[in-house]
Amino acid sequence: MRGIGILSRESLFHIYIYAGLGGVFLMKALKAWIRVTLKMLPFFAGMAVLIALILWIAGVFTSKIPPGHEAAPARRLAESDRTDQVHEVIKPYFEEALGSVKAAARTEISSRILAPILEITVAAGQTVESGDVLVRLDPRAIQARLFQAQAGVTEAEAALEKAKSYFARYERLLEENAVSRSEFERVQTERNVAQAQLRQAKEALSEAEVLLSYTVIKAPKVGLVVDRLAEPGDTARPGIPLLVLYDPASLRLEVPVPESLAVRLKKGDEFTVRFDALDREVTAVVDEIVPQAEVGSRSLLVKAALPLTEGLFEGMFGRIQIPSGRRRHLCLAVDAVHRVGQLEYVEVVKKDRTLERRMIKTGRLGMPGKVEVLSGVEAGETVRLPATKQSELDR
């Protein structure tokens, strides 16, 4: 029993020691938990505030309006209100095609002979009349050839006169049987050769005169000089352009038109052409339709003659309006359309004179004061127009 008591005291001592250590550890753990809790406290507080805010936005803390429907009072058309009717219009519509101005009568001026250029009397942008001198070439080589031809003619004429004189004498001698037939024929042949040589000399003279005329190049027709490709001192060569000009009266608009529209066109049709650079419109007449479609664009080239227009030049850009059909659309007064932001609506007058607000979609402006309506109303319906200022004052 004594041993047991001693053992119990030792055990109790160990228990006290373990209990003390456990208390220390417990205090340390409690302090650590408190530190962690204090660090996490702002997070939990923020989460609580966020949850409360979400609930407030969701309306948890406010009273709810019970479900139900209450019809708004119907508005009625007043006696002083103005109205307008939705009209149905059948109108042709057009498709736009773009083209360039080109001249039907375009001329490239070049020399027919090889000669140095002495003078070019015109510049780009200058208008010339038919017969005006454009270019002068050096005529000295041609003049020398002309003098040689003139000398040749003189020599051939003298030889012919001599041959004719011999022929006349031998002809008389033949009649008197003073010469043989063979001698007479020889003299006759010499006369014929002299005649041929004279014709040849005259042809050479005519050729030299024509070549001399080529040293002065004149305008073949009325036109506008658009390009000057040579200067004095250059050598003019046959076939190489020196000047380019065109007739302003021959301008026409060349437009690639889709084949679906081009097949409906015919020569003589008239169109309206707008030139943005000139800010004006003119009437064009179809002059030619090229009977071949472009493979890539599936279009035909249409050429429309233009009237003589001041300020219009080759290469300018034009827009042509081609009729492509007819279409039905509705229109009403512009004043009847109300706009709220991007929304559009009208007030439709029903049979009982009540007003119905109806959303619509408008299109293009038509005749003055009218607008196209794409959807929302039907033909024959009546819409209310806003009151004028005088009507508002009377109210």
Side-chain angles (χ1 to χ4, degrees), residues 302-320:
V302 176
K303 302 178 182 180
L306 299 170
L308 186 61
T309 305
E310 183 179 359
L312 186 63
F313 303 106
E314 190 178 26
M316 294 183 71
F317 165 80
R319 306 172 184 268
I320 189 169

Side-chain angles (χ1 to χ4, degrees), residues 2 16 22 26 54 130 132 137 145 148 152 167 178 207 274 299 309 313 316 332 336 354 362 370 374 379 394:
R2 184 178 178 182
Y16 288 154
L26 182 61
I54 293 173
S130 178
D132 288 352
L137 304 179
R145 186 171 176 178
Q148 291 178 357
F167 177 76
E207 181 182 2
R274 176 170 180 79
S299 61
T309 305
F313 303 106
M316 294 183 71
L332 52 77
T354 58
T362 60
K370 299 290 183 178
L374 302 178
D394 293 341

